Structures are given as structure tokens and as C-alpha cells.
Amino acid sequence: MSKQQLSHSGYVCAPYLHTHESVELKEFWIASKNISSLYFVTGTFSSESKPYFSDSTNHYLLAKFLDGASTCRDLSKHNQEKTSFVFDVRDDLFSREVVGETNFVSVYYVEYGENREDFQEIANLLLKREKISRAGMGGMQTFCTTPSRFEFPYAQNIVVIEVASEKSHQSIKKYCEQTRRDVNRKGLTMTNLMSLSILDQLK
């Protein structure tokens, strides 16, 4: 049973508020062996997810971590007034080399369908999109000094994709939206949670 609860790798998205906590967290993650990549990003939340995360802000630190439990401890120490998100990737759907650098990360949630066939269907559809370099599925935890009034009901059905393209962030966002529609046409309700446009790589 305990093996099922072992920590996973994944992504963490923490608000960058130009406060002491934000700056300290950034410096800590730059030095941390648990953080493999660190980016400064602009975050955009979908109209469907905004009611759950009304305290969202514009700028975030996005990091790829090796150990989720360690990352959660970091956020407990540097908890902020805006919500931080930890995405544990339990299932790596695929990872491959694509042309260009990763400059966009899109996070979705699946409203219906928790069986392997549904997730395999999503993986097959994402594989057809040649600009997607990596896709994974897992769960989400949030950290905030002021807890949300509404519990997010799809926290265990998260899909994260990395996109590499030389095109503008607006163009990539449209590309991701088309990908989402392709999935929904198959009868699976995949909804955008947030879109993260990479502005600068810090590590």
C-alpha cells in the first residue's frame, strides 16, 4: 500500500509576486537538486477553472521537479496569498524529441472517464499532434494561505502537456485548443485549467 503513495516527478506552478517569499523561493529552487528546470511564465486560466481559483495572478514560477513530496515541503515553508499548484505526474504518456524549445505548457482536467481505455485514447490523440513533446497524467495539490471556498472536483484527473514551437504564444494556444477539441469529439470531456507561456528560463 505504501508503495502506491511514493512521490512522483511533475510540475509546480507558484505565483511570482515580487515579495520576499517569491524571491526566496526562486533562489531556493535555482539551487535545489530536486528542481531540474525553472521558468518564469505568464499564466492564463480558463473561464471554467477561474471560479475555483479566483485568486489567480499573471506571473508564475514554473518548475519541473523530481520528487513531489519535497516540492510540497518547499511550498509549505513558502506559502503565499495566491494559490500554488503541484502536478504529480503518475503516468508519463509519452516523451519525444521535437523541433524547437519548449515554450508552452498547458494543463487540463478530464471530467468524465477514469478507466485506462479513456486515458489511452487521450494519449493516442495527443501523439498525433507533432508539436507536443511530452504528455503526462496525474493529480493536483494546491497551497495557499487562504483556502479556496470551492473544492476543485477533478484534482485526480489532470493532464499536462509540453509544447515546442517557434510560433507565438497566441498561435500555440490556438493549437492546444484545437487539440482539446479533438479529444472532446471522441466523447471525452477534457477542459483547460491553465495555459503557461514561458517567458524566460531561469535554470
Side-chain angles (χ1 to χ4, degrees), residues 38-181:
L38 181 63
Y39 306 95
F40 181 59
V41 302
T42 298
T44 309
F45 287 74
S46 69
S47 55
E48 291 88 351
S49 65
K50 265 193 174 169
Y52 297 102
F53 308 110
S54 55
D55 67 348
S56 60
T57 186
N58 293 325
H59 294 119
Y60 289 86
L61 295 170
L62 173 67
K64 291 168 75 170
F65 59 78
L66 304 174
D67 180 83
S70 176
T71 303
C72 288
R73 287 194 294 272
D74 297 345
L75 290 177
S76 295
K77 287 180 196 168
H78 300 90
N79 209 355
Q80 301 186 72
E81 62 187 37
K82 305 282 186 183
T83 302
S84 295
F85 304 84
V86 177
F87 304 107
D88 274 313
V89 177
R90 294 188 295 262
D91 293 300
D92 272 312
L93 299 179
F94 62 85
S95 182
R96 62 187 174 185
E97 293 291 325
V98 299
V99 177
E101 293 288 319
T102 298
N103 62 357
F104 201 83
V105 173
S106 201
V107 183
Y108 304 90
Y109 56 92
V110 180
E111 292 185 31
Y112 308 103
E114 295 184 36
N115 59 55
R116 296 297 305 178
E117 288 83 8
D118 288 347
F119 291 156
Q120 189 57 55
E121 183 89 53
I122 290 171
N124 292 342
L125 288 164
L126 295 178
L127 260 173
K128 292 177 183 175
R129 308 292 282 176
E130 60 186 26
K131 292 176 186 172
I132 299 177
S133 58
R134 190 175 182 193
M137 304 186 90
M140 178 181 81
Q141 291 186 66
T142 57
F143 291 81
C144 188
T145 53
T146 310
S148 174
R149 286 183 301 157
F150 306 109
E151 185 179 347
F152 185 66
Y154 311 110
Q156 296 310 309
N157 285 356
I158 298 293
V159 179
V160 185
I161 66 171
E162 291 183 23
V163 184
S165 173
E166 303 302 322
K167 293 190 176 180
S168 69
H169 288 135
Q170 200 58 39
S171 173
I172 305 169
K173 198 171 178 183
K174 286 179 183 172
Y175 180 84
C176 290
E177 179 57 24
Q178 183 59 55
T179 302
R180 186 189 67 79
R181 284 201 294 266

